[in-house]
Amino acid sequence: MKKGVSFFTFDQDVDLKEACTQCAKAGYDGVELILSEEGSLNMKTTEKEIREIRSMVEDLGLCAPSVGAWNLWSHNLASDDPQEAECAKTILKKQIDCAAILGADTTLVVPGWVGTDFGPGIVSYDRAYDNAQRALAEVAPYAEAAKVSMAVENVWNKFLLSPLEMRRFLDEMNSPYVGAYFDVGNIIYIGYPDQWIRILGKKYIKKLHFCDCREEQAGLGRFVDLFEGSVDFEAVMQSIREIGYDDWVTVEFLPNYKHFPYQSVINAKLSLDCII
């Protein structure tokens, strides 16, 4: 498996070259770049500029296996409001465009929310389910044409709350370009990551995020460095090997290291080597 760093770890306006340089120095294989409204990779970034970012990344000996999006937390893909859902689908398509140009094969998709502290509004669970599937189905041909998968991540969105439901959701999508981006730390508050990995299986898991989470704490303060939380990484690795997953493992942290932001990825690399 290859090891990467998600740029959700840094602020949205992070200097991409500096961050990539630090990730390369720490010994990672790649970086997950994040689409935003104001950062270096944004909705107005041109194809030429994205190609320049790719060249910079590759010149450092890295690659970009996946692309996330900060701004999907501002627009609910599962919204009842057609205009709001359309905005989210526009972001999905820009993610896919960025991924294709960068050489990535996966986009990290926030599938919308029933409710969350991070985004506005509440949607009825049954309508959120249908709305999210409809939106993804509309964008799936675009993803297939680009050969880029949309991977739905388990996030704190009061939605898709069991591995059986997530698997059913993806079964019903019935597209090889719609899968799961599984985060082992995000799931601690409602389940066991090794069980989710076995149930979703290699068929659906496109990429993995590694972070750690303290079960006994509340809020975003739950998220801690690898080995400091409640994730049973031995069980996680056993389940990964059982399903035969051998793709990317990408570490992700909140941008908490304000004065020494790159120390988080240095620390995580040592832990990640131990886990794998």
Side-chain angles (χ1 to χ4, degrees):
M1 291 183 289
K2 293 186 177 180
K3 304 164 190 173
V5 176
S6 173
F7 275 30
F8 279 124
T9 299
F10 309 121
D11 290 326
Q12 295 187 42
D13 59 353
V14 68
D15 182 306
L16 287 187
K17 185 171 184 179
E18 181 184 7
C20 288
T21 299
Q22 294 297 330
C23 291
K25 286 174 63 177
Y28 289 92
D29 303 301
V31 289
E32 177 176 86
L33 300 180
I34 311 298
L35 183 68
S36 67
E37 293 297 333
E38 304 296 337
S40 299
L41 186 64
N42 59 63
M43 298 297 289
K44 296 180 181 178
T45 304
T46 65
E47 179 176 345
K48 179 177 181 293
E49 290 169 330
I50 298 170
R51 292 195 183 281
E52 289 172 352
I53 292 172
R54 177 173 179 170
S55 294
M56 178 271 293
V57 170
E58 292 178 347
D59 286 347
L60 290 167
L62 302 170
C63 64
S66 51
V67 175
W70 282 105
N71 41 356
L72 276 178
W73 281 116
S74 301
H75 301 284
N76 189 353
L77 188 69
S79 175
D80 286 326
D81 181 347
Q83 185 174 358
E84 181 74 0
E86 197 60 40
C87 286
K89 287 185 286 184
T90 299
I91 294 169
L92 291 186
K93 290 179 179 179
K94 182 65 174 181
Q95 274 186 281
I96 292 166
D97 292 342
C98 290
I101 298 167
L102 289 166
D105 63 6
T106 304
T107 59
L108 187 163
V109 173
V110 175
W113 56 85
V114 171
T116 172
D117 294 336
F118 316 118
I122 297 173
V123 183
S124 176
Y125 202 117
D126 54 347
R127 294 200 306 272
Y129 190 98
D130 292 342
N131 294 345
Q133 284 193 328
R134 186 182 308 111
L136 288 168
E138 290 173 5
V139 181
Y142 194 87
E144 183 171 3
K147 306 300 180 191
V148 173
S149 295
M150 295 184 291
V152 173
E153 189 179 25
N154 53 301
V155 291
W156 289 12
N157 53 354
K158 300 181 181 179
F159 183 41
L160 302 177
L161 295 174
S162 88
L164 298 179
E165 184 186 14
M166 176 72 88
R167 187 175 65 184
R168 171 190 164 190
F169 182 90
L170 298 173
D171 280 341
E172 291 170 350
M173 290 303 306
N174 193 30
S175 169
Y177 288 91
V178 181
Y181 200 130
F182 185 67
D183 187 306
V184 302
N186 282 357
I187 215 64
I188 285 296
Y189 81 114
I190 55 170
Y192 301 93
D194 55 303
Q195 294 182 14
W196 278 70
I197 290 167
R198 290 190 185 94
I199 290 168
L200 292 176
K202 190 176 180 180
K203 176 181 179 181
Y204 286 130
I205 295 178
K206 302 291 185 180
K207 294 288 184 288
L208 288 170
H209 265 171
F210 272 19
C211 67
D212 211 342
C213 181
R214 281 186 182 153
E215 198 168 10
E216 65 274 13
Q217 287 188 219
L220 295 178
R222 289 182 174 201
F223 290 101
V224 292
D225 285 354
L226 300 178
F227 292 136
E228 290 189 340
S230 305
V231 174
D232 183 344
F233 283 105
E234 288 184 321
V236 164
M237 288 307 302
Q238 182 175 345
S239 64
I240 287 171
R241 294 186 179 107
E242 284 181 13
I243 70 169
Y245 178 89
D246 59 357
D247 209 298
W248 284 80
V249 172
T250 300
V251 294
E252 179 195 24
F253 303 94
L254 296 174
N256 290 333
Y257 286 63
K258 296 298 183 183
H259 299 291
F260 301 95
Y262 302 115
Q263 191 62 41
S264 64
V265 299
I266 294 170
N267 296 347
K269 179 58 167 58
L270 298 173
S271 298
L272 190 58
D273 288 344
C274 181
I275 292 167
I276 292 178

